[in-house]
Amino acid sequence: MKHEMFMRMAVDLALENVLTNKGGPFGAVIVRNGRIISIGRNQVTAKNDPSAHAEIEAIRAACKYLNTYQLTGCELYTSSEPCPMCLGAVYWAKLNGIYYAATSKDAAKIGFEDEYIYKQFNLPIEHRSIPMFRIVPENTYAPFNAWIKQPYKQGY
Ligand SMILES: [Zn+2]
């Protein structure tokens, strides 16, 4: 019952975003122990920020509110299946679970590229549409070596 309530809220945020012409049709809610921690809505065009997806906005707001970089114990409710970027952010933030309503296939039908990007990630690098090249200067591993030796680092 509560799951559906949080999902309806995520979907309402998405709808409101479209009706007020503030961004794409996506909304998200982060919940911990049955309590809403944050909300997010797509703000890509409003902020000129291609990473301002609803899920990213919700994760940033939750981390700020909880003063942490990990959201263990939290769950994400998103109006549409997360894109690869947002799914990656969920893994980095270590959320406990994801609930979604519409699918990536549904989003593809109205012109959003989530499905396309998922397919790109499964291709070998040389077959992807955006070229990617490796360059290895002599200082390539200096940051990693410094990290290994850094006694005060905070692992994540
Ligand atoms: Zn996304």
Side-chain angles (χ1 to χ4, degrees):
M1 201 61 197
K2 275 213 157 184
H3 288 309
E4 198 172 316
M5 187 188 79
F6 293 132
M7 186 59 78
R8 286 174 71 96
M9 181 181 260
V11 174
D12 279 343
L13 283 165
L15 177 61
E16 183 195 291
N17 214 34
V18 177
L19 297 179
T20 56
N21 204 22
K22 286 183 176 153
F26 305 100
V29 177
I30 290 177
V31 173
R32 189 175 69 176
N33 300 327
R35 230 185 97 232
I36 294 167
I37 301 297
S38 70
I39 60 168
R41 57 183 181 80
N42 181 286
Q43 297 191 76
V44 169
T45 52
K47 287 186 169 177
N48 283 331
D49 179 355
S51 70
H53 287 192
E55 299 93 323
I56 299 286
E57 294 290 297
I59 288 169
R60 286 182 178 147
C63 286
K64 192 171 182 180
Y65 176 69
L66 296 172
N67 193 30
T68 181
Y69 50 85
Q70 289 185 345
L71 298 175
T72 306
C74 296
E75 290 165 327
L76 171 72
Y77 293 78
T78 176
S79 63
S80 189
E81 189 179 349
C83 75
M85 172 181 70
C86 292
L87 185 60
V90 166
Y91 273 85
W92 282 115
K94 300 183 180 5
L95 283 131
N96 279 34
I98 301 169
Y99 300 93
Y100 66 98
T103 67
S104 293
K105 282 191 183 0
D106 297 329
K109 284 179 197 156
I110 59 164
F112 290 96
E113 294 187 314
D114 314 53
E115 180 85 351
Y116 168 74
I117 299 171
Y118 269 116
K119 284 181 182 159
Q120 283 283 305
F121 283 13
N122 282 326
L123 295 173
I125 288 173
E126 63 275 15
H127 291 130
R128 292 181 194 157
S129 65
I130 296 179
M132 187 167 145
F133 307 101
R134 186 161 189 232
I135 298 170
V136 190
E138 87 287 342
N139 62 348
T140 295
Y141 295 106
F144 286 8
N145 292 333
W147 174 258
I148 291 166
K149 291 181 195 147
Q150 170 56 264
Y152 306 112
K153 68 181 168 237
Q154 192 171 7
Y156 61 91

